Amino acid sequence: MTVLNAENDVVSHSEKAYFEYLLGYEAEITGKWEDALDHYINALKFDPSSAYLKTQISFMLVKLGKIQEALARLEEVAIQHPDYVPGLLLLGELYNSQKRVDDAIRVYENILKINPEKNEASLFLGVLYATKGEFQKAVAIFSSLLKKDPDNIMAMYYMGSINMENKNYDKAEEFFKKITEINPSFDAAYLNLGIVKEIKGDLKAAEDYYKQVLTINPHNLFAKERLAQLYLTEKSFAKAIKELEGILKESPKNIDVHQRLGLLYLQEKHYDKAISEFRIVLEARPNDIVSLYYLSIVLAELKRYDEAVAELKKIISLDPKNINAFLNLALIYSRQNRYADVIKVYEEILSFEKQKPEIYVYLGNAHIQAKEYAKAEVVLKEGLNRFGDNEELHFNLAVAYEKMGRFDDMVMHLKRTIELNPNHADALNYLGYSYADKGINLQEALSLVSRALELKPDSGYIIDSLGWVYFKLGRLEEALKTLQKAVGIVKDDPVLHEHIGDVYESMDNHEAAIDAWTEALKFHEKEEGLKERVEKKIESVKQKIKKMQ
């Protein structure tokens, strides 16, 4: 009795061999590969010349992960039965899996000499040449295959892929479109069409192709990934979130997607969801500095400052020179008005990083906020010794000098700031306002503030400066109108309300002046010395009103 397989091979020459083969085949189709292997080995004992049984044994060894043993047996088959194509096909596949590309090529070329019509071997051979970067050989093989079999979609697919690799996007698109005409359910073709369109900048067409992929195969995670990336490019964050959430439904342990989703939730201000995603990442990767960093940002946005500080300190323990962690730590302390702690943080940065002028700026500004003006001067001058042409160092030193009452030094450094950067709006405004406040160089002050306003037309503070210049020039109606516009933008600054009161007083509108000054007192804690100054103004005007009655 004999049994034939798909290659018309004789399985056995005896009833015992045939019986063992049947037992092996039954075990194989039920997934009992150890049993199948035993039965095929027993069958081979009764039919020792069967290339088919030898190949089946190797196939079971592969199933069981015994690759080297399978290879050794198949190499024997190739020697004993050099024309046995199924054995050679499996041998080529194993060589390829072991990255023995040249050996695999040799096997597939041998197969095609034996049987030139073996399209499967042609496909594998073409792919291997493409893998080696020998695209001309690969194209020749696939082209020859397509002449014999014009509707071979795999050959078309690899031709399209090679053209993509070589940036021949129009040609690649032709191949992939042809595939969709022959087989409209071939999702990989639509996926590559989407990538081609994305590269060409046609994002709408790319989106349509990716959606087509997901219509065919809703579980195609790569298509979801490409859609998410496309939506990020378009800044359609809500759509990107939806795609990433879809990926996580299919692959809930994908930590990188959890991290990206956390970043998007942060972008969209879904802070609780962002925290949840970053916590998932950190559970899997406790030392993930990126997630620790962004988690601290979310916590700070929610004003959960102690928790944010704890996360930043974890980063610093992992990476003691992580400047971003230090900078955000300083920012949180600043929000809490903990200027002594802010100063310590910047001093710590300067202990290992002295090549960034902005750190001197930040430290100097922190001293100014803490009203330590002399210390601010020392730090900013140290910075200028290293970076003499840094405009921000000059500007902040000017601010320190203004706080110290050193007007001429302030003017000198503001002018130097403007020399270095003629478009430094804050320096232009600061100098113009300072002139106006002293009632000097008023035309120059008007020019300076006007230039600043051109650079920052929506700045309530610069508009206030312009109104103050008008006031000093005696252009009261223009001053009042301008200052009211400034207060419409910055409603809680006491100095702006004070200025309006001053203008009303100059216009002899005493009641309106008192109202404006009273409004200023609501926010007096923002400006040192304002409360006493404004209360004196109110009292003075009230006395004036009494005398008039």
Side-chain angles (χ1 to χ4, degrees), residues 15 19 39 43 95 105 108 117 197 210 251 270 285 292 297 306 345 359 393 421 428 438 455 477 514 526 530 535:
E15 289 185 2
F19 179 69
H39 288 300
Y95 279 148
I105 286 174
Y108 289 127
E117 302 304 314
K197 288 297 186 183
Y210 294 143
S251 181
H270 302 322
R285 303 196 299 235
L292 287 168
I297 289 177
D306 290 345
V345 171
I359 306 302
L393 285 167
N421 179 6
L428 291 165
K438 277 194 171 292
L455 296 164
E477 293 293 341
I514 291 173
K526 293 189 175 184
L530 180 135
E535 284 177 344

Side-chain angles (χ1 to χ4, degrees), residues 146 150-161 172-193:
L146 285 169
D151 291 339
N152 190 309
I153 61 173
M154 291 310 299
M156 289 181 205
Y157 180 79
Y158 291 125
M159 285 289 277
S161 299
E173 190 173 350
E174 287 179 25
F175 280 108
F176 293 130
K177 280 187 175 178
K178 182 72 182 295
I179 292 171
T180 63
E181 292 168 7
I182 297 170
N183 183 358
S185 63
F186 195 96
D187 61 335
Y190 290 104
L191 185 63
N192 281 320
L193 283 169

Side-chain angles (χ1 to χ4, degrees), residues 73 177 317 368:
R73 284 179 175 269
K177 280 187 175 178
S317 69
I368 291 171

Side-chain angles (χ1 to χ4, degrees), residues 96-322:
N96 186 37
S97 72
Q98 297 291 295
K99 302 190 185 306
R100 294 170 61 177
V101 176
D102 290 336
D103 288 332
I105 286 174
R106 175 178 51 77
V107 169
Y108 289 127
E109 286 179 339
N110 188 34
I111 291 170
L112 290 171
K113 287 178 184 176
I114 298 167
N115 183 0
E117 302 304 314
K118 198 66 178 175
N119 292 348
E120 183 181 359
S122 293
L123 277 174
F124 289 146
L125 186 59
V127 170
L128 288 170
Y129 277 127
T131 300
K132 290 185 69 175
E134 298 183 32
F135 296 122
Q136 286 186 332
K137 289 183 178 180
V139 167
I141 291 168
F142 292 133
S143 297
S144 176
L145 180 54
L146 285 169
K147 285 180 182 177
K148 294 185 291 181
D149 183 6
D151 291 339
N152 190 309
I153 61 173
M154 291 310 299
M156 289 181 205
Y157 180 79
Y158 291 125
M159 285 289 277
S161 299
I162 290 170
N163 279 287
M164 277 185 71
E165 180 72 23
N166 291 319
K167 300 182 180 180
N168 298 322
Y169 299 120
D170 290 339
K171 195 68 178 175
E173 190 173 350
E174 287 179 25
F175 280 108
F176 293 130
K177 280 187 175 178
K178 182 72 182 295
I179 292 171
T180 63
E181 292 168 7
I182 297 170
N183 183 358
S185 63
F186 195 96
D187 61 335
Y190 290 104
L191 185 63
N192 281 320
L193 283 169
I195 294 171
V196 168
K197 288 297 186 183
E198 199 174 338
I199 292 169
K200 287 183 172 183
D202 189 347
L203 301 187
K204 181 64 177 69
E207 180 182 1
D208 290 341
Y209 279 126
Y210 294 143
K211 286 181 175 178
Q212 181 66 30
V213 173
L214 293 171
T215 299
I216 298 167
N217 178 10
H219 304 292
N220 191 311
L221 299 185
F222 188 71
K224 289 180 182 290
E225 171 68 32
R226 292 311 311 165
L227 263 181
Q229 193 58 46
L230 185 149
Y231 290 142
L232 287 174
T233 301
E234 296 178 327
K235 300 190 184 305
S236 299
F237 299 121
K239 289 183 177 180
I241 286 172
K242 182 179 178 182
E243 295 305 324
L244 292 177
E245 288 174 339
I247 291 173
L248 286 179
K249 286 180 181 177
E250 300 283 340
S251 181
K253 294 184 179 179
N254 190 321
I255 299 303
D256 291 332
V257 173
H258 279 292
Q259 186 176 72
R260 291 172 62 198
L261 196 53
L263 292 170
L264 281 173
Y265 284 143
L266 172 58
Q267 172 72 34
E268 293 295 276
K269 299 184 178 180
H270 302 322
Y271 296 133
D272 289 339
K273 288 184 176 181
I275 289 172
S276 176
E277 295 302 321
F278 291 134
R279 294 287 190 207
I280 290 171
V281 176
L282 290 167
E283 187 175 339
R285 303 196 299 235
N287 296 336
D288 188 301
I289 287 177
V290 171
S291 292
L292 287 168
Y293 178 76
Y294 284 107
L295 176 58
S296 74
I297 289 177
V298 180
L299 293 167
E301 286 296 322
L302 292 171
K303 298 185 178 179
R304 292 162 59 176
Y305 295 129
D306 290 345
E307 294 176 71
V309 166
E311 300 303 332
L312 290 168
K313 287 185 175 179
K314 286 179 189 175
I315 295 174
I316 292 168
S317 69
L318 294 167
D319 181 4
K321 294 184 179 181
N322 190 303

Side-chain angles (χ1 to χ4, degrees), residues 36 77 84 124 132 156 294 366 378 380-381 430:
V77 172
Y84 186 64
F124 289 146
K132 290 185 69 175
M156 289 181 205
Y294 284 107
V378 171
L380 293 166
K381 279 187 171 180
Y430 213 106

Side-chain angles (χ1 to χ4, degrees), residues 20-21 23-42 51-71 73-74 90 94:
E20 288 290 343
Y21 164 74
L23 291 175
Y25 180 71
E26 182 182 5
E28 180 183 343
I29 63 176
T30 57
K32 299 175 182 177
W33 297 325
E34 288 277 7
D35 292 344
L37 176 63
D38 290 340
H39 288 300
Y40 288 147
I41 289 173
N42 288 336
Y52 172 69
L53 285 172
K54 293 173 184 177
T55 301
Q56 282 300 103
I57 289 169
S58 297
F59 185 61
M60 287 303 101
L61 288 168
V62 171
K63 290 279 191 182
L64 292 167
K66 299 177 181 181
I67 305 300
Q68 294 307 317
E69 188 179 345
L71 264 175
R73 284 179 175 269
L74 285 169
L90 184 55
L94 287 186

